[in-house]
Amino acid sequence: MLDQATVTANIPAADLARARTFYADKLGLTPAHEVEGVILIYRTAGGTTFSIYQTQYAGQAGHTIAQWHVDDVDASVRDLKARGVVFEHYDMPGVEWSNDVASMGEMGKAAWFKDSEDNILCIDDGFPD
């Protein structure tokens, strides 16, 4: 049943216009569809979809709410930093940091940042097979 389904991340935004600007200017993303004042729907070239929706509860999760799996975390961090994205550092046992990139052994590399709505987002090099 669910093992045949797809999954979509839903990212909350207290200010949808501000979020749209952040995702465009900082992440280089443009919505594929929009219901004005309600929801922005994005589709990546990688074949996934995620949405950003208007809610007063944005930024309240204290954990990662969405991840982008990239081929090269270090290069992605450099590109995003050049666009003004600020990366977060977390104290996690067994994790080695090189600038803004965490190396986590078998789990690969990752880097975290917050969007305009204070949501924690991540880029990583994918889950191990």
Side-chain angles (χ1 to χ4, degrees):
M1 178 165 51
L2 291 182
D3 62 338
Q4 300 299 311
T6 60
V7 177
T8 300
N10 296 298
I11 301 171
D15 184 324
L16 204 56
R18 178 179 61 208
R20 180 186 191 150
T21 299
F22 176 88
Y23 281 76
D25 294 351
K26 304 293 186 193
L27 306 185
L29 302 171
T30 303
H33 183 72
E34 177 176 358
V35 176
E36 193 170 335
V38 178
I39 193 167
L40 304 169
I41 299 171
Y42 294 83
R43 288 189 179 86
T44 70
T48 59
T49 302
F50 70 95
S51 67
I52 301 174
Y53 66 98
Q54 182 79 31
T55 178
Q56 66 187 24
Y57 301 108
Q60 295 184 15
H63 60 277
T64 304
I65 63 166
Q67 294 171 235
W68 280 266
H69 307 300
V70 299
D71 292 329
D72 187 333
V73 174
D74 295 289
S76 296
V77 166
R78 283 191 302 273
D79 180 54
L80 291 170
K81 284 179 80 166
R83 291 173 169 264
V85 173
V86 176
F87 285 86
E88 303 288 313
H89 290 227
Y90 300 104
D91 185 18
M92 299 181 288
V95 172
E96 293 182 25
W97 289 90
S98 176
N99 297 314
D100 293 315
V101 177
S103 293
M104 303 176 295
E106 288 184 43
M107 292 295 294
K109 290 182 175 182
W112 291 266
F113 61 96
K114 290 184 179 179
D115 69 4
S116 60
E117 308 308 294
D118 215 24
N119 296 305
I120 301 170
L121 307 172
C122 177
I123 55 173
D124 64 30
D125 54 9
F127 295 113
D129 292 333

